[in-house]
Amino acid sequence: MWRSAAIDRRGFIKAAGIGFLAALKPEALLALNRADAVYASGIRTANGSFAVATVTERGEIVDKVALPARAHGMAYSTATGRTVAFARRPGTFAMIFDPWNKSEPIVIASPEGRHFYGHGAFSPNGRLLYASENDFDNNRGMIGLYDAANRFARIGEYETYGVGPHDMTVSDDGRILIIANGGIETHPDFGRTKLNLGNMQPSLTLIDAASGALIEKHTLPPRWSSVSTRHVDLDASGRIWFACQYEGHRRDLPPLVGHFRRGDDLAFIDLPEETTRRLANYVGAIAVNRKEGLVGVTSPIGGASVTIDAKTGKVLREKSVRDAAGIAPASGGFAVSSYDGDFLSNHSDVAWDQHIVRIAHPPLIR
């Protein structure tokens, strides 16, 4: 998510250092020199290998860091500049790296009996990494706690008070963990098969970051028990936005996007029927542009990106994007990627993965 002002390009270059810049190809250095924003996302390269790419808002790839397997979600620490790529479910690795290549990447593994769900977040001070995990033998959602000061050693875990946690984030003050429990039971013995579609339990939970205690749990009404709560982000007022994927009949028109605050009930956005059909019952990613008061969602199945006014909930723009994948804040709206290799108006010979993170000049790196 993007919580900072627009990137300072000169600050980025200063933080990168002489060694990093010297290693860049001329075209990559030119792209960085004229960039107004820099992002990171998982990719599959033309030879079938996997990596994380740093990319400008023009879609020009600046650098790549190799991955052991396919990634899914990304997280970025504005305090330290560290970025993490989480393995795609039911993967068991996460790779933490410095986008400016100041240190070797650190690869961590989920403990025995756990796998990553593809998402996580840093504490505001960058000292802790939280990761959504599955205790698959006990069918419990968990949040793993990893110590950034000790090469991200696992130092504990919290329950998510739900099944199938997917995306998560942290409140701006670092006190609350916000988790989207998709409600879907899985087990690595069955790959990515969904084992309980007739008895889903989607929910959104707020957890005390200091103790792991449950603060609030929001479940969906029985009518929408097949609406899997999947992704979350925060707007400038602290309101929590969430996006869903529907596991029911394809002709249904379920709610797919909503919001809530601590102490309030869930409220779904009343999207136009045409928009709901266009999203094809599947929102793959959500992002909030705090500066411009916008919420953006993408659907790879529907081949669309949709921009919503955060104040009114009204749809402002819809755009056809074949195999739309990630979305992140950009000047004038959102940067959107695709599995076909498009990043905004530029095409690369890669497949962009499901999520994008905007990386900004970290204030503590000099």
Side-chain angles (χ1 to χ4, degrees), residues 1-7 233 288-291 329-331 358 360:
M1 96 188 42
W2 178 39
R3 292 187 178 130
S4 62
I7 190 169
D233 203 353
V288 172
N289 184 325
R290 292 188 173 190
K291 185 176 181 180
S331 178
R358 180 168 174 146

Side-chain angles (χ1 to χ4, degrees), residues 180-346:
N181 291 303
I184 299 174
E185 179 183 354
T186 60
H187 194 288
D189 287 351
F190 300 93
R192 291 175 58 81
T193 302
K194 301 167 184 176
L195 303 175
N196 68 329
L197 293 186
N199 187 32
M200 288 173 53
Q201 303 170 46
S203 65
L204 292 137
T205 53
L206 305 184
I207 296 172
D208 186 281
S211 68
L214 178 65
I215 298 172
E216 290 182 3
K217 181 172 182 176
H218 299 265
T219 57
L220 273 63
R223 179 187 180 193
W224 300 123
S225 62
S226 294
V227 175
S228 179
T229 44
R230 305 287 284 179
H231 296 102
V232 290
D233 203 353
L234 291 167
D235 68 19
S237 71
R239 184 168 48 176
I240 301 158
W241 287 81
F242 61 94
C244 307
Q245 298 168 12
Y246 186 55
E247 301 294 342
H249 196 283
R250 64 184 180 85
R251 293 184 180 176
D252 291 344
L253 293 174
L256 297 173
V257 181
H259 57 74
F260 71 104
R261 298 180 189 274
R262 180 177 177 178
D264 291 345
D265 293 332
L266 303 183
F268 282 102
I269 296 299
D270 187 19
L271 294 173
E273 180 176 322
E274 175 184 334
T275 304
T276 301
R277 292 189 186 280
R278 191 169 196 175
L279 291 172
N281 287 345
Y282 189 102
V283 176
I286 187 170
V288 172
N289 184 325
R290 292 188 173 190
K291 185 176 181 180
E292 299 178 18
L294 303 173
V295 178
V297 298
T298 56
S299 172
I301 295 177
S305 68
V306 176
T307 301
I308 300 166
D309 186 301
K311 288 185 178 180
T312 66
K314 300 297 183 182
V315 173
L316 300 178
R317 289 186 292 277
E318 297 184 29
K319 184 177 180 181
S320 294
V321 182
R322 180 180 174 182
D323 288 329
I327 187 167
S331 178
F334 295 96
V336 175
S337 64
S338 80
Y339 295 138
D340 281 347
D342 293 329
F343 195 106
L344 285 176
S345 59
N346 197 61

Side-chain angles (χ1 to χ4, degrees), residues 340-362:
D340 281 347
D342 293 329
F343 195 106
L344 285 176
S345 59
N346 197 61
H347 182 82
S348 300
D349 192 17
V350 304
W352 296 101
D353 222 306
Q354 187 64 58
H355 296 282
I356 306 168
V357 64
R358 180 168 174 146
I359 56 178
H361 173 49

Side-chain angles (χ1 to χ4, degrees), residues 98-122:
D98 183 334
W100 298 271
N101 288 343
K102 288 192 171 184
S103 58
E104 287 297 314
I106 297 172
V107 178
I108 60 174
S110 58
E112 185 176 355
R114 306 281 193 273
H115 67 69
F116 292 122
Y117 262 114
H119 285 278
F122 284 96

Side-chain angles (χ1 to χ4, degrees), residues 54-83:
T54 47
V55 56
T56 73
E57 83 287 354
R58 298 171 181 265
E60 302 158 314
I61 294 176
V62 175
D63 194 28
K64 300 173 187 175
V65 180
L67 286 170
R70 182 177 176 181
H72 183 70
M74 310 286 298
Y76 174 74
S77 171
T78 57
T80 67
R82 283 169 158 166
T83 305

